[in-house]
Amino acid sequence: MIRFGPGNLRIPEFQKPVFAVAGGLTDFRKRYPEKNSCELTMDAMRMAVEENNLKVSPEEFRRKVNWCVYSQFADHFGDQLLAAAKIHDYLGFDPLGNIEVKTGGATGGSSVLSACQAVASGYADCVPVVGWERMDEVTTKVGNSYIASAACKDFESELGWMYAAYYALMAKRYQLENEVPHETLAKIAVKNREYARHTPFSQNPGKYTVEDILKNEMVSDPLTFLECCVMSVGAAVLILCDEKVAYELSDNPVQITACCGGTHTLRTADRRHMPILLLPNETEETYKNYFSGDRQDWPGFSSFLAARMAAYLAYHMAGIKDPVKDLDILETHDAFTISDIQTYEDIGLRPYGHGREFIESGEAFFEGALPTNLSGGLIGSMHAVGATGIFQLVEVLWQLQNKWGQFHEPEGLWTRYGKTKPDDFRNLQVEGAKRGCAISHAGTGSHVTCTIMEKV
Amino acid sequence: MTVKLDGTKAELLSEEPMVIKNLKTWYHMHTYGGWGKFFQGLKQGKLLGTRCTNPDCQEHRIFIPPRVDCVDCWAKTEWVEVPAVGTVYTFSQVTYPGELFRAKPPVPLISVEIEGVCTKLMSYMKEGQPEFGMKVKAVFETENPTNTILDLAWVPA
């Protein structure tokens, strides 16, 4: 049982406002032997500085930077310790200080949090956050065992060496407690792969039906291959500044009004029952009849306390009362269809037990109340782990800057990555989007960050 | 002085783009430390857990996986033998495991609830198909132990 003391739920504060001015991505691929990790981060950095309408040249930008944050999930995959030093040098930032952040799948989100802390405290005023992962130097099966090294190696990894299996255990329990139809889960996979068709950056776009997903081969019952995220190679860059530098660089910076993190046990097994931590849009009444029948535990295997904790802090910090109403765009860490449904509840889009309604109502879709994962997400577009949380925020930034078209529509971008724009290409810019959110997530919910961005 | 290479080489996998193969053939030790007692217990057919020794601690239930130090009050814990019976809290069948898995798939994975234990240990069924709430009993790999968590498995009770 976790009992919060008075200090535990303190709402974080930024001493100075933090702004995002630019973002850059590579495309994401299963294998990318043409470029090494240094080159990939350079491509993402170039896009951030040269293609975001900044008012400076790369050389002038480099002269403004005073701290860097690097984001790579696994030295196992990169097979290069201190890779950040190599990349920092390659990007021309020596001898400035830097830090490399590691929190599993949430490494990208935590790196942005670290950069926010640097800017908000006044330690730095211009900070590139650089994320990458190269997962193509081992077979997929070895890759899966590397990833499963991020489960508990004493008590859990040996049981399959496969993260999807650890999520499948949660999925089964969620289905028992909440009766979510497999069709609803499949709709998430269909949706995100569909949106991935309209972005030149995506690795696994495709037109699928719910039937295709359901009939697909099992990885670990009930999760099919098409319900699991991709394994990618690629990079992402987000540039954070204080207010003064933000406006020197850009005419339309976006403010980061909250960036907060939560955690929970690496082993799902160790999650003891506790009272539900309520979000601003919930009361005791919301869960009056929650614990009944098979539902006796919270967070149990159906919910992520880390996500609830991150959302609790971020919503209070950014003044979010009702996320579906107050947010215009959302990127979730859709590593698996089931974890997406669980996350909808953890971040208060629906009360616990009702996550399916967020998909079934159409709210999660483009032109719905809160379009979610228009980027294609981890299922459709990418999961180059260290880049993922940054990729999400780059996509949110462009939406809030009304630049989605600029970075997804031009034929030149599609040909840059050797792709053909589909004939039925759709512009997925959310009209008038003012406030966005991204959830970065590790383990079976060991670390989660929640970042809120707002148009100024 | 002339330096002579030892004759080994990195195999060329692709000329353009150039990709080579690095071999890794060494072993990596894994240190169980204070938790080793648990794995020794499995080899002797015993399921061991830990319990906080501090009478003022808020948590007096048993932990499996064990903790040598209490998570809530940081006092030392004591080892206790736990009756090797439980119920299936959740399950899956893994058909596509990762590289290092020591069993041929499909394998039914389970999380087990044990009376008096506050955790829900991840494990697998050696025989039978799991169902929610199914009573199961532990079986131990005492003959040919793997020295890993796989030495513990469950069968219908």
Side-chain angles (χ1 to χ4, degrees), chain A residues 4 25 41 43 55 182 236 259 292 367 377 401 451:
Chain A
F4 292 112
L25 305 174
T41 55
D43 283 351
K55 297 182 273 190
H182 204 169
C259 185
S292 60
E367 293 177 333
Q401 289 181 318
T451 308

Side-chain angles (χ1 to χ4, degrees), chain A residues 282-345:
Chain A
E282 297 172 341
T283 62
E284 298 285 346
E285 191 66 19
T286 315
Y287 295 113
K288 206 175 63 179
N289 301 315
Y290 182 74
F291 295 106
S292 60
D294 291 313
R295 215 152 50 185
Q296 297 296 338
D297 291 314
W298 188 84
F301 280 31
S302 293
S303 310
F304 300 114
L305 172 58
R308 174 54 58 126
M309 183 79 183
Y312 174 91
L313 296 175
Y315 290 175
H316 282 284
M317 186 173 174
I320 307 274
K321 300 280 182 243
D322 181 343
V324 176
K325 280 195 195 127
D326 297 349
L327 298 170
D328 304 306
I329 178 124
L330 172 67
E331 289 285 325
T332 59
H333 186 99
D334 54 323
F336 305 99
T337 50
I338 184 69
S339 57
D340 220 38
I341 297 266
Q342 292 170 283
T343 301
Y344 302 156
E345 300 174 2

Side-chain angles (χ1 to χ4, degrees), chain A residues 368-443:
Chain A
L370 181 53
T372 299
N373 292 353
L374 296 181
S375 70
L378 283 66
I379 286 178
S381 276
M382 63 81 80
H383 194 18
V385 185
T388 302
I390 300 164
F391 159 86
Q392 296 174 312
L393 286 164
V394 168
E395 290 278 353
V396 171
L397 170 73
W398 289 338
Q399 283 279 0
L400 299 181
Q401 289 181 318
N402 201 28
K403 283 184 180 173
W404 188 93
Q406 184 180 327
F407 287 100
H408 299 81
E409 202 146 19
E411 292 288 347
L413 267 170
W414 292 79
T415 53
R416 184 187 295 182
Y417 304 128
K419 292 177 181 172
T420 310
K421 195 160 97 172
D423 292 335
D424 58 347
F425 177 83
R426 280 200 292 168
N427 186 323
L428 297 178
Q429 173 67 50
V430 175
E431 286 305 319
K434 286 194 174 59
R435 201 186 273 136
C437 173
I439 304 296
S440 192
H441 175 119

Side-chain angles (χ1 to χ4, degrees), chain A residues 43-359:
Chain A
D43 283 351
M45 182 63 80
R46 265 202 215 102
M47 179 183 279
V49 177
E50 297 181 13
E51 297 181 50
N52 277 260
N53 320 97
L54 296 189
K55 297 182 273 190
V56 292
S57 69
E59 173 68 14
E60 288 164 327
F61 172 74
R62 226 163 42 79
R63 290 177 190 285
K64 282 186 174 292
V65 172
N66 34 51
W67 180 249
C68 300
V69 180
Y70 293 96
S71 175
Q72 183 197 212
F73 156 58
D75 289 330
H76 290 52
F77 277 110
D79 201 22
Q80 166 71 64
L81 297 190
L82 266 183
K86 212 161 147 181
I87 284 168
H88 191 63
D89 160 31
Y90 198 76
L91 296 174
F93 289 127
D94 280 318
L96 306 175
N98 75 46
I99 193 165
E100 187 178 355
V101 173
K102 286 204 177 346
T103 60
T107 296
S110 298
S111 296
V112 172
L113 171 55
S114 173
C116 285
Q117 289 167 341
V119 173
S121 66
Y123 183 89
D125 64 13
C126 184
V127 183
V129 188
V130 181
W132 74 97
E133 205 77 44
R134 112 155 288 128
M135 308 176 84
D136 63 345
E137 293 185 334
V138 290
T139 63
T140 303
K141 273 191 166 246
V142 172
N144 276 314
S145 62
Y146 279 2
I147 295 167
S149 306
C152 174
K153 285 182 81 169
D154 296 287
F155 299 101
E156 291 188 344
S157 301
E158 288 275 354
L159 294 155
W161 288 100
M162 185 65 185
Y163 241 99
Y166 314 144
Y167 271 89
L169 290 170
M170 300 186 89
K172 275 277 189 196
R173 186 71 202 184
Y174 183 94
Q175 287 175 321
L176 173 75
E177 292 181 11
N178 302 294
E179 291 176 25
V180 60
H182 204 169
E183 286 75 11
T184 302
L185 296 175
K187 276 182 191 166
I188 298 172
V190 172
K191 167 176 83 69
N192 296 355
R193 284 201 162 75
E194 159 61 22
Y195 294 146
R197 293 177 56 243
H198 307 282
T199 167
F201 306 110
S202 69
Q203 180 181 326
N204 255 8
K207 277 188 184 172
Y208 292 91
T209 62
V210 164
E211 185 89 330
D212 294 332
I213 310 290
L214 298 179
K215 277 186 168 156
N216 193 235
E217 223 176 304
M218 283 291 172
V219 178
S220 193
D221 174 40
L223 292 171
T224 65
F225 277 90
L226 287 169
E227 289 179 271
C228 301
C229 58
V230 294
M231 212 185 267
S232 313
V233 184
V237 167
L238 183 70
I239 296 169
L240 302 191
C241 304
D242 73 359
E243 189 163 12
K244 181 171 166 288
V245 177
Y247 282 96
E248 286 167 12
L249 291 176
S250 167
D251 288 327
N252 56 350
V254 163
Q255 190 173 352
I256 298 186
T257 49
C259 185
C260 303
T263 62
H264 206 193
T265 63
L266 183 60
R267 293 188 295 265
T268 325
D270 289 36
R271 296 178 183 170
R272 291 172 290 166
H273 171 68
M274 62 181 277
I276 298 176
L277 176 65
L278 299 174
L279 292 181
N281 59 336
E282 297 172 341
T283 62
E284 298 285 346
E285 191 66 19
T286 315
Y287 295 113
K288 206 175 63 179
N289 301 315
Y290 182 74
F291 295 106
S292 60
D294 291 313
R295 215 152 50 185
Q296 297 296 338
D297 291 314
W298 188 84
F301 280 31
S302 293
S303 310
F304 300 114
L305 172 58
R308 174 54 58 126
M309 183 79 183
Y312 174 91
L313 296 175
Y315 290 175
H316 282 284
M317 186 173 174
I320 307 274
K321 300 280 182 243
D322 181 343
V324 176
K325 280 195 195 127
D326 297 349
L327 298 170
D328 304 306
I329 178 124
L330 172 67
E331 289 285 325
T332 59
H333 186 99
D334 54 323
F336 305 99
T337 50
I338 184 69
S339 57
D340 220 38
I341 297 266
Q342 292 170 283
T343 301
Y344 302 156
E345 300 174 2
D346 296 317
I347 65 172
L349 308 183
R350 284 292 187 282
Y352 283 114
H354 296 271
R356 60 187 275 193
E357 294 166 14
F358 183 62
I359 284 292

